[in-house]
Amino acid sequence: MKRHLPLATPHMSDEGYELEFVHDAFRKNWIAPLGENVNGLEAALAEYLGRGNTVALSAGTAALHLSLILSGVKAGDLVFCQDLTFCASANPVTYLGAEPVFIDSERDTWNMDPAALERAFTLYGKPKAVVVVHLYGTPAKMGEICAICQREGVTLIEDAAEALGSEYKSRKCGTFGRFGILSFNGNKIITTSGGGMLVCQDKADATHALKLATQAREPFPWYQHEEIGFNYRLSNICAGIGRGQAKVLPQRVEKKRAIYQRYAQQLAELPLSLQPMAADCRSNCWLSVLLLDKGCGVTPAQVLDALKADDIEGRPLWKPMHAQPVYANAKFVTAGDVSVAEDLFARGVCLPSDTKMTDEDVDRVCAAIKALF
């Protein structure tokens, strides 16, 4: 009987690093959201990224929420957000009563289109912040986007939830904006079961974020609060899993890239392509995503049905935010006459990219797709 092939699931180290750190936390009774594992995970990721001040949190969404607060986003403000992404990239904007303006994709990377971003400034003026996403791990055009934000004097928030290990011009994603967002959800390249991290360029921002993440308690003998805070810190137990995962992060990145390359080789003769990336970038290939050629005679639904029939998990691309019912009245900016994000959504399929896959597993996925043509 063939085994189920999932999209992406947790992959614990063969060496058992995660259990060592978790057991140590139990032995020392460091169960609460502080302790050696939290500090160790923050230090390990700061070293891996090569820059930035890290704050371990309960979710990537929490990190984005805090980054918006630290950027001064308030009710009524505009925030320019990437359109083709998961809802967590935009929802924290609405938590604060601010208004997201969704920016269309470009075809070179499927990420925020710098030309559409420029047009948004022309149409709506200066926002409080810009939130760019590295979709499925593929780096956005950070040179152009950073230049626009610097010229306009606008805070750049970099959602690298899917891009831990990706690089733009040899620099790790998550370190370009004033704030970077990482996610350790169960389907990410490494996991803490659930959790995330805020990466700050300035130590003062990291210190303030840590305060806000611990209910904004002031340094008094009693509980005193002068601003609104949150219960956003990562537990020491979950951080122990993350410390173990951090030890095998380079291996996981290389495995993801190998899966992408095998898909590219096996599917090369078909009327489809994989998500592109610029020559000066290195994606972590968190998910390998195919795009069917227009007029190829096969639909994403047919691909997904064929995979499901062989007990293989696939998924459509993220539905663009401006097309979501909850954001039906939101502003949307594209550089041309048609939405690139809508076109990508209509023709794309996310393929299994689990780091426990074998070459034979990848070939099995490809065989199911080839049978449709």
Side-chain angles (χ1 to χ4, degrees):
M1 183 178 178
K2 293 181 179 179
R3 68 185 183 89
H4 174 68
L5 296 183
L7 196 70
T9 58
H11 187 176
M12 297 296 103
S13 66
D14 294 335
E15 298 82 359
Y17 296 131
E18 298 86 355
L19 283 174
E20 291 179 15
F21 288 119
V22 170
H23 286 162
D24 185 64
F26 272 90
R27 283 193 298 269
K28 296 175 179 176
N29 201 34
W30 281 113
I31 309 301
L34 75 165
E36 294 174 1
N37 285 336
V38 174
N39 297 337
L41 178 60
E42 291 172 341
L45 266 295
E47 180 179 3
Y48 179 78
L49 294 172
R51 64 183 71 201
N53 301 276
T54 50
V55 183
L57 301 168
S58 57
T61 309
L64 184 52
H65 187 198
L66 292 182
S67 72
L68 290 166
I69 293 171
L70 293 171
S71 300
V73 175
K74 295 182 173 59
D77 288 337
L78 294 181
V79 176
F80 293 171
C81 301
Q82 186 157 314
D83 186 52
L84 189 58
T85 184
F86 181 51
C87 66
S89 300
N91 286 350
V93 175
T94 65
Y95 298 169
L96 296 169
E99 180 182 358
V101 177
F102 295 112
I103 311 299
D104 199 14
S105 298
E106 40 79 18
R107 296 198 181 272
D108 294 344
T109 69
W110 303 359
N111 288 306
M112 181 180 283
D113 185 348
L117 179 61
E118 291 269 23
R119 187 163 183 248
F121 277 96
T122 300
L123 290 173
Y124 301 113
K126 184 175 176 179
K128 205 71 176 184
V130 171
V131 180
V132 64
V133 182
H134 303 297
L135 188 71
Y136 302 123
T138 297
K141 293 181 175 179
M142 295 309 295
E144 296 174 54
I145 292 170
C146 287
I148 293 169
C149 291
Q150 289 169 2
R151 184 193 70 214
E152 300 291 342
V154 173
T155 295
L156 177 62
I157 298 172
E158 190 184 354
D159 185 343
E162 301 169 356
L164 179 58
S166 299
E167 298 177 2
Y168 176 87
K169 295 186 177 180
S170 300
R171 179 171 166 181
K172 291 287 196 301
C173 291
T175 65
F176 289 87
R178 176 180 170 187
F179 302 105
I181 312 302
L182 304 178
S183 172
F184 306 131
N185 193 31
N187 63 355
K188 295 302 188 292
I189 199 158
I190 63 170
T191 185
T192 57
S193 169
M197 188 165 286
L198 180 63
V199 183
C200 304
Q201 293 290 354
D202 296 327
K203 186 172 180 57
D205 280 336
T207 300
H208 195 180
L210 176 60
K211 176 187 173 185
L212 292 176
T214 50
Q215 300 290 16
R217 183 181 178 183
E218 302 292 339
F220 287 81
W222 52 86
Y223 282 85
Q224 177 149 318
H225 308 276
E226 298 173 5
E227 57 186 328
I228 298 297
F230 308 89
N231 184 18
Y232 275 171
R233 280 294 263 167
L234 184 66
S235 84
N236 200 50
I237 297 298
C238 291
I241 299 173
R243 283 184 81 184
Q245 290 271 279
K247 286 181 172 290
V248 294
L249 175 55
Q251 297 168 231
R252 300 294 181 259
V253 172
E254 289 310 309
K255 178 63 177 181
K256 291 278 191 180
R257 289 172 176 161
I259 291 170
Y260 176 97
Q261 290 300 325
R262 193 165 187 89
Y263 277 132
Q265 294 164 3
Q266 293 291 317
L267 301 174
E269 302 304 317
L270 298 182
L272 56 82
S273 57
L274 295 189
Q275 183 180 4
M277 62 189 84
D280 54 3
C281 298
R282 294 195 76 200
S283 173
N284 67 2
C285 302
W286 172 61
L287 288 186
S288 292
V289 186
L290 67 78
L291 187 70
L292 296 164
D293 290 357
K294 292 181 180 179
C296 72
V298 175
T299 67
Q302 289 173 314
V303 174
L304 292 170
D305 285 344
L307 296 178
K308 185 177 180 181
D310 199 18
D311 200 16
I312 299 169
E313 184 181 2
R315 189 173 70 188
L317 269 65
W318 298 125
K319 185 176 182 178
M321 286 296 100
H322 81 272
Q324 294 285 355
V326 71
Y327 289 119
N329 298 319
K331 296 179 175 69
F332 170 63
V333 181
T334 182
D337 297 327
V338 297
S339 167
V340 173
E342 286 185 25
D343 178 54
L344 296 171
F345 173 63
R347 295 191 286 127
V349 177
C350 298
L351 301 176
S353 306
D354 193 283
T355 51
K356 299 181 292 300
M357 293 177 75
T358 64
D359 287 349
E360 291 72 23
D361 291 334
V362 177
D363 293 347
R364 180 179 148 200
V365 176
C366 293
I369 296 170
K370 290 176 180 179
L372 292 169
F373 292 92

